[in-house]
Amino acid sequence: MSTGPTDRPGAIDARPLRHPWRWVAVALIAVLVAMLISSFVTNPRWDFPFAFQIMQQRPVIEGLWKGTIFGTVSAMLLGIVVGLALSVMRLSDNPVLRGVAFVYTWFFRAIPRYVLLALLGIGVGFLYNEFRIGLPFGQQISHLLGLKSDLTFFGLNWNALSSTIWVGVIGLGLSEAAYMAEIARAGILSVDPGQREAAQALGMSSGKSMRRIVLPQAMRVIVPPTGNETIAMVKDTSLLIAIPVITELYYQAYQFGQRSFKIMPGFVAATLWYLIVCSILMVGQYYLERYYGRGFGRTTARKNKRFARPGGAGGA
Amino acid sequence: MSSLPTGVSTRHTGEPLVRALNVIKAFHGAEVLKGIDFDVHPGEVVCLLGPSGSGKTTFLRCINQLEKIDGGRIWVDGDLMGYDDRGGTLHQLSDKAIAAQRCEIGMVFQRFNLFPHMTALANVMEAPVRVRGEKKSDVRVRALGLLERVGLSDKADSYPAQLSGGEQQRVAISRALAMSPKLMLFDEPTSALDPELVGDVLAVMRELAAQGMTMIVVTHEMSFAREVADRVVFMDGGVVVESGHPKDVIDNPQHERTKLFLKRMRSHDDPDRPTVQDARSQG
């Protein structure tokens, strides 16, 4: 049909808006990338073939698995468990639990991880070379009563433990718990109070309503920042040297560079491994978010958008 | 009759299922309930009417202890709610004991409060399985039956976000019924619904009333109160102003405050629809 003034307007066929500055930016970025690649090729100190060799060295792989990955997973597990407990304590009616959680978070957020790891690895061993589990003040009590036993049930030699990955796991995990506590608290507070009321009205105890109803919904808010924390933890395992623990990716890769007087390949090898590990973690995070997002969001809320988020507005 | 408090029915001779005496509740020093006396007998349907801020929702929430009362006593089926009376001294009940008392009381909320991370069926099955520890396969059969009763057997596997408001509220009623409660509390069950969805929910409630369920309903649905309620209780300013047969109270109110409220409700375009302020004040 022709488009005379009396006709009803038809399909829109308009000129798209031009974006000339985008093309300028693309050109600029292309030049910078070209310069970088040219540096890779022309500057022999990059020495990528050697970096790839370092990546495959046994001590480096061992450091990656036993230090970086094992350390990350264990420290995060400890951090999540302790952090969740702390967040529930922080939100409880019990003033003692609230106080303990607050002081814990205050302390472990204030102390740098490097300092904490050095303190645990070197300092604690200097203070106590053996941990004994028994009656409090057992030695003093047994001395007073003239007993032979010092009332200990179980002893642990800290010096034997002090240069192992376990100190790193404890240090990083306890530090992480302080951050996880705040993340979990935000997640729990994000759940509509009506959910807890509905659970209680059905006869659930507060513990059960927390486990079955509140936490699964809080996970939707907790998972994304926990992914961030995990990725940060991968990088923080490079601090294990403070303990000192040397079975760890960065230290091993750096040592290879040092020993062969080729500094850069060591850094490149470590960087590439960190990039690979973090990329894999991001994929895992995507699936976790999708799991805990079930029942929420666009994919399931086709039918009635108004009620996509129950309790989103209004009273009761 | 004049010797009895206004909320107490005189028609029944048996033991009441719910008995509230001189219930007082204050929020931050402001008294919201100023001594409520209230009886509900087994099988009775009682509608609580009243303007916003009159305390009707608060009173309903006090019955299953979502709010803690500051004075008076509430008994449900002979059990003193929230306390153990040992020779005149009240001892606070533990979290678990309060939870056990709530098992006997179903509650339906204005905003449904379905668990969004569970399907409709899982919502209905949750409490019998997790609270009573019943066998999953048995509960499943019963839950499907309950969903069928409210006309939602085809929605068993839908998540709440995939359901309309009216469907969500009917699932919420099934969820409460799954615990086989002695008493059902409804807190403005149709106030958050689009007008065309109200009818389905009211139909389910009518059927429930016809089957002899004891129900306390906070509502603005005058026609529902008139047709279904055995008794309506009009509250204002934290007290029971008058109570009686729905025809008497709604069509021939005795008190000025009741008359004023009913006149306001009628002068509305849609008399059964709560105002924005109503929705806000039901905190």
Side-chain angles (χ1 to χ4, degrees), chain A residues 8-303:
Chain A
R8 288 150 63 75
I12 288 174
D13 179 22
R15 294 275 172 86
L17 194 61
R18 306 276 176 211
H19 298 286
W21 287 105
R22 284 184 193 171
W23 293 105
V24 173
V26 166
L28 205 69
I29 291 164
V31 169
L32 288 173
V33 169
M35 284 165 72
L36 188 68
I37 291 172
S38 135
S39 160
F40 285 167
V41 176
T42 56
N43 191 335
R45 289 185 179 179
W46 278 105
D47 203 346
F48 277 98
F50 189 55
F52 294 138
Q53 272 181 27
I54 291 178
M55 282 176 77
Q56 294 160 38
Q57 293 303 310
R58 259 194 84 181
V60 174
I61 300 282
E62 205 184 345
L64 172 71
W65 280 110
K66 290 188 182 168
T68 304
I69 291 177
F70 176 78
T72 302
V73 172
S74 316
M76 280 311 292
L77 282 179
L78 181 65
I80 289 170
V81 170
V82 178
L84 270 181
L86 283 169
S87 67
V88 173
M89 283 163 71
R90 191 77 190 275
L91 294 169
S92 89
D93 296 330
N94 183 332
V96 179
L97 293 182
R98 271 204 314 266
V100 168
F102 175 79
V103 170
Y104 182 100
T105 311
W106 165 76
F107 179 79
F108 279 99
R109 275 210 302 195
I111 184 164
R113 284 187 178 168
Y114 190 86
V115 176
L116 179 66
L117 290 175
L119 191 150
L120 285 176
I122 302 163
V124 172
F126 180 69
L127 272 178
Y128 316 98
N129 43 32
E130 203 178 342
F131 277 107
R132 297 195 190 88
I133 297 175
L135 283 186
F137 299 105
Q139 282 163 322
Q140 286 89 331
I141 294 172
S142 78
H143 183 75
L144 211 72
L145 301 174
L147 298 176
K148 267 190 192 141
S149 149
D150 60 357
L151 304 174
T152 351
F153 313 129
F154 175 74
L156 180 77
N157 189 337
W158 183 258
N159 279 341
L161 198 74
S162 69
S163 296
T164 64
I165 182 72
W166 292 108
V167 175
V169 168
I170 291 170
L172 292 173
L174 292 183
S175 168
E176 185 57 39
Y179 294 91
M180 282 307 303
E182 291 298 290
I183 290 170
R185 188 163 73 106
I188 291 170
L189 289 176
S190 76
V191 177
D192 175 14
Q195 290 292 310
R196 204 185 156 80
E197 285 183 354
Q200 288 182 334
L202 285 168
M204 288 196 190
S205 63
S206 47
K208 201 168 278 173
S209 73
M210 180 60 83
R211 280 193 307 279
R212 292 286 309 167
I213 307 303
V214 177
L215 279 182
Q217 293 181 61
M219 289 306 277
R220 203 169 54 93
V221 173
I222 293 174
V223 166
T226 304
N228 273 345
E229 291 293 312
T230 309
I231 285 166
M233 184 61 79
V234 172
K235 297 175 290 181
D236 281 354
T237 54
S238 61
L239 300 175
L240 289 175
I241 191 62
I243 294 174
V245 168
I246 58 167
T247 311
E248 172 269 313
L249 172 62
Y250 169 68
Y251 186 81
Q252 292 298 330
Y254 176 70
Q255 281 298 304
F256 265 96
Q258 285 274 302
R259 267 178 260 142
S260 51
F261 302 105
K262 292 177 173 175
I263 308 294
M264 207 55 201
F267 291 137
V268 170
T271 303
L272 288 177
W273 267 128
Y274 283 123
L275 281 174
I276 291 167
V277 171
C278 290
S279 308
I280 293 169
L281 284 175
M282 282 165 71
V283 174
Q285 186 182 357
Y286 168 79
Y287 284 103
L288 259 184
E289 281 180 29
R290 206 172 66 165
Y291 175 75
Y292 282 111
R294 72 195 189 282
F296 288 95
R298 256 176 259 154
T299 47
T300 51
R302 264 177 245 128
K303 261 204 137 168

Side-chain angles (χ1 to χ4, degrees), chain B residues 187-253:
Chain B
D187 181 14
E188 301 198 31
T190 55
S191 294
L193 297 178
D194 288 339
E196 78 270 21
L197 302 175
V198 169
D200 290 341
V201 172
L202 290 182
V204 168
M205 290 170 62
R206 265 195 192 97
E207 199 196 309
L208 204 55
Q211 286 161 356
M213 175 61 79
T214 312
M215 295 160 63
I216 305 177
V217 186
V218 172
T219 189
H220 293 277
E221 300 286 340
M222 286 302 159
S223 53
F224 177 82
R226 199 196 309 256
E227 290 163 33
V228 181
D230 297 306
R231 193 151 52 89
V232 299
V233 172
F234 177 75
M235 284 177 68
D236 193 13
V239 296
V240 173
V241 174
E242 70 182 288
S243 104
H245 194 269
K247 290 225 165 63
D248 299 336
V249 175
I250 295 174
D251 298 332
N252 187 21

Side-chain angles (χ1 to χ4, degrees), chain A residues 192-208 212-214 216-217 292 294-297 299-316, chain B residues 61 64 66 95-96 99-100 102-103 105 107 109-118 126-127 130-131 155 159-165 167-168 175-176 179 187 192 194 279-280 282-283:
Chain A
D192 175 14
Q195 290 292 310
R196 204 185 156 80
E197 285 183 354
Q200 288 182 334
L202 285 168
M204 288 196 190
S205 63
S206 47
K208 201 168 278 173
R212 292 286 309 167
I213 307 303
V214 177
Q217 293 181 61
Y292 282 111
R294 72 195 189 282
F296 288 95
T299 47
T300 51
R302 264 177 245 128
K303 261 204 137 168
N304 196 333
K305 276 182 188 151
R306 261 190 71 178
F307 295 100
R309 296 195 59 190
Chain B
R61 290 163 58 84
N64 74 347
L66 288 179
D95 185 47
K96 287 237 162 72
R102 288 188 181 123
C103 286
I105 306 169
M107 181 143 186
F109 296 87
Q110 185 180 6
R111 301 214 56 99
F112 333 131
N113 297 1
L114 287 183
F115 306 133
H117 57 303
M118 299 179 183
E126 178 68 11
R130 300 287 161 184
V131 178
K155 304 281 184 182
Y159 283 96
Q162 296 167 304
L163 302 174
S164 76
E167 289 168 337
Q168 287 190 58
R175 178 176 70 174
M179 290 293 276
D187 181 14
D194 288 339
R280 259 192 217 135
Q282 305 302 330

Side-chain angles (χ1 to χ4, degrees), chain B residues 127-201:
Chain B
V129 172
R130 300 287 161 184
V131 178
R132 289 245 167 89
E134 291 179 54
K135 243 178 84 186
K136 252 190 175 170
S137 48
D138 300 346
V139 176
R140 199 186 151 79
V141 173
R142 206 169 77 222
L144 286 169
L146 283 166
L147 286 175
E148 199 184 338
R149 245 172 82 183
V150 298
L152 292 173
S153 34
D154 56 327
K155 304 281 184 182
D157 295 325
S158 301
Y159 283 96
Q162 296 167 304
L163 302 174
S164 76
E167 289 168 337
Q168 287 190 58
Q169 193 62 298
R170 284 183 280 155
V171 173
I173 293 173
S174 304
R175 178 176 70 174
L177 290 175
M179 290 293 276
S180 319
K182 297 171 188 159
L183 169 70
M184 285 285 284
L185 307 175
F186 292 85
D187 181 14
E188 301 198 31
T190 55
S191 294
L193 297 178
D194 288 339
E196 78 270 21
L197 302 175
V198 169
D200 290 341
V201 172

